[in-house]
Every structure is written in structure tokens, then in C-alpha cells.
Amino acid sequence: MEGLLAHLREQHDAVERAAQALNRNSGADPDMSRAILALSDGMAVFLATAERFIDSCDVSAGGTPLMHKRSASRSQSGDQSSARLHPLLVRYYDAAGDVKVMGERLADVDYEHVDAATARSLRRDQDLELEQSDVAFQDEYHRRRGSIEHRLDAAIERADLLKAQCLFEGLDLGA
């Protein structure tokens, strides 16, 4: 997870540098500037959310999921049945996966927005008609992003709740 976090920090830093370069360029396209700044802001929020989630996981690097205590003791007592993860751990890992997926969707929306802003800038430079107004374009982006942010927050809350339940049950989250 730390590798993922490092990669997210690198992406954020690259977008931040692009935003700063656009601010220094007085001839920069206003749509492109707004899109890059929105992406930078969005990535900062996502990075903070990802850091908060990873911190809450308190997962050791390279560890493996541990079985529920009763399953482990049965295996040690000679029962050769295959060991399974405790259902609560499975639910927690699924919830953590949902957080990852929603984070990826959030990043996708930001990248799509930058691509669309670039295409709009190109159309504007070629004196071609835009499909929607600047306000509608930005409103649509913020609506899509807000929806995903809401689902990401809900996924984080669910994962945090399941983590607390796992810890209460004495389950090891190390994965």
C-alpha cells in the first residue's frame, strides 16, 4: 500500500508542477488552466483521503491475512481441512477493495476532464463550435466528481467500520 501511496504522491506532484507552469504562462488557455487546477485540487483531496484510509488500515507490509482464531486452532489440532478467512475479514478486504476502485474512478474522472478540456481548447482554437457551454462543461465535471467523492467517502466509512469490527473480534488485519 505504501507503494501505491508513493505513486499517488508522484502523480499529484506532476499535476501540481503542470498547474504552476500554466500559472506562469500568461498566454495559457483558460479552459486548460481551470482543468489542470481542478485536477490538482481533486488529486490533493484524493491523496489526503488515501493517506487517511491507509493510515487507518495499519497494515504491515508483506504480511498475509490471518485466519480466525478457531480455524487456526483446528488446523493446529490435526484437522486437515483447508483454512478459510473469517467472513468479517473477507468483508473488510472487499470494502478496502471498494475504496481502491472508487479512488481509481475519481482519478479517471479527473483525467477525462483534462482530456476533454484539451479537446475543447483545440476546438476553440480552430473556431469550431463547442458542444456545451463552459459553465455546463464544468458543472457536469463537478457533478460526476462529487458523486464519486460521495461514494468514496461511504466506502471509506464502511471499511473503517469493518476494520473496527475485525479488531473488536480479535482478528489480525495484516495483509
Side-chain angles (χ1 to χ4, degrees):
M1 283 203 186
E2 286 301 318
L4 172 66
L5 198 53
H7 180 69
L8 289 172
R9 283 186 189 117
E10 289 172 10
Q11 287 180 337
H12 173 263
D13 291 347
V15 170
E16 189 67 27
R17 285 190 299 274
Q20 290 170 358
L22 275 174
N23 282 339
R24 287 191 301 267
N25 183 356
S26 61
D29 182 324
D31 279 343
M32 181 61 71
S33 296
R34 281 192 300 272
I36 293 291
L37 290 172
L39 177 60
S40 176
D41 291 345
M43 288 190 77
V45 168
F46 176 65
L47 181 60
T49 302
E51 287 172 338
R52 188 178 87 227
F53 175 71
I54 288 173
D55 287 345
S56 78
C57 288
D58 193 28
V59 174
S60 61
T64 57
L66 298 180
M67 301 169 287
H68 186 265
K69 292 175 185 176
R70 284 179 292 202
S71 298
S73 64
R74 262 188 275 142
S75 295
Q76 291 171 354
S77 67
D79 183 3
Q80 298 301 320
S81 64
S82 63
R84 295 182 330 164
L85 285 175
H86 187 279
L88 194 54
L89 278 175
V90 172
R91 289 178 44 214
Y92 170 70
Y93 294 140
D94 285 344
D98 291 345
V99 170
K100 181 179 184 265
V101 168
M102 294 312 301
E104 290 170 350
R105 285 185 184 164
L106 192 62
D108 288 345
V109 165
D110 289 339
Y111 287 123
E112 289 168 6
H113 181 68
V114 169
D115 288 345
T118 302
R120 287 174 63 81
S121 178
L122 181 61
R123 289 185 65 82
R124 185 175 281 121
D125 288 348
Q126 296 173 351
D127 292 326
L128 298 174
E129 186 177 332
L130 299 175
E131 294 177 12
Q132 61 185 162
S133 70
D134 291 340
V135 171
F137 175 73
Q138 292 293 43
D139 286 348
E140 174 67 14
Y141 164 68
H142 290 294
R143 184 194 60 75
R144 288 179 63 209
R145 191 171 205 295
S147 172
I148 293 171
E149 284 177 335
H150 177 74
R151 293 189 318 216
L152 176 61
D153 288 342
I156 289 171
E157 286 179 30
R158 180 172 176 259
D160 286 344
L161 177 66
L162 287 167
K163 175 190 173 193
Q165 290 174 345
C166 286
L167 294 175
F168 180 78
E169 292 290 325
L171 301 174
D172 189 343
L173 302 178

